[in-house]
Amino acid sequence: KQWYQRRVAITAGVCTKEGGMEEEDRRLLKLAGQFHLGENANVFREGSLVLKNPSGAPPLVHKTILYGSSTGAIGLIGCIEKPLFDLLLTLQEALARTVTSIGCIPHNVWRGFHNDRQKEPAKGFIDGDLIERFLDLPRSEMTKICVDLFYDFDGTGMKREGTVDDLVKLIEDLARIH
């Protein structure tokens, strides 16, 4: 099981239950991810903004949690399979180096956890806003980013290097869930 938590009002965290054999071990939670939302989230609910895929294809994102913020924003936190997570994390890192952020704040600084006592990098989350910025890049920049991005884009079980069209389709499919 996973638990979703709010830390310092605008940082989301995900904890997993430890699976030890002792009773005390089973009560421990381990931080699996943390991410600066940029919003003061004040409500979390299990749910989705879209209907299930009528084609019957497995969803890219599952176990979704919606959150609402005090400014009226709605966000989505969900689980994705490890191969897709790894691909999107690599893409996110490439985009963070390529895309200029507002205020020139580095992506890892903006999305990291910070309070008066500590600063920690974001982990275990993919920033959908940053991933969607891929669609706004010139084709030449998209091509540079696609180099060395390997994934099973065809659903055949075989990884291959992605093309710009592969990534555009994947990102558009992900964008449809919110």
Side-chain angles (χ1 to χ4, degrees):
K1 283 197 161 187
Q2 295 183 343
W3 285 265
Y4 298 87
Q5 67 175 358
R6 238 180 41 174
R7 290 173 49 186
V8 189
I10 56 177
T11 299
V14 176
C15 294
T16 57
K17 195 171 186 178
E18 290 292 303
M21 296 301 289
E22 301 297 320
E23 179 65 31
E24 188 172 315
D25 290 342
R26 288 190 294 231
R27 291 191 306 241
L28 297 177
L29 296 177
K30 180 182 175 190
L31 184 65
Q34 59 190 10
F35 184 80
H36 175 79
L37 296 173
E39 297 279 345
N40 184 8
N42 55 7
V43 64
F44 288 85
R45 295 283 185 270
E46 189 173 341
S48 175
L49 294 174
V50 296
L51 297 174
K52 294 193 187 275
N53 188 350
S55 70
L60 293 171
V61 180
H62 51 92
K63 297 182 184 176
T64 55
I65 302 287
L66 297 170
Y67 67 87
S69 78
S70 57
T71 62
I74 297 173
L76 180 126
I77 300 171
C79 297
I80 56 178
E81 299 299 324
K82 177 107 173 86
L84 179 57
F85 179 86
D86 291 343
L87 170 75
L88 293 175
L89 185 61
T90 304
L91 176 59
Q92 176 175 282
E93 291 165 352
L95 286 168
R97 289 188 303 270
T98 304
V99 175
T100 304
S101 63
I102 297 173
C104 295
I105 300 170
H107 181 262
N108 62 336
V109 173
W110 167 247
R111 290 301 187 188
F113 168 76
H114 46 85
N115 64 17
D116 296 338
R117 294 174 293 181
Q118 65 188 49
K119 292 182 180 182
E120 297 178 30
K123 69 175 188 177
F125 281 83
I126 299 297
D127 184 349
D129 292 334
L130 180 60
I131 295 295
E132 287 180 18
R133 291 195 60 193
F134 179 83
L135 302 174
D136 299 330
L137 293 175
R139 188 106 179 155
S140 60
E141 286 293 318
M142 290 178 171
T143 303
K144 288 179 193 173
I145 289 174
C146 285
V147 174
D148 295 328
L149 288 179
F150 289 87
Y151 181 68
D152 178 15
F153 289 98
D154 306 316
T156 61
M158 299 292 293
K159 287 185 177 184
R160 64 173 175 78
E161 189 170 50
T163 65
V164 170
D165 292 335
D166 291 329
L167 280 177
V168 166
K169 181 184 179 317
L170 176 64
I171 294 167
E172 287 175 346
D173 288 348
L174 288 167
R176 282 190 198 96
I177 67 168
H178 65 78

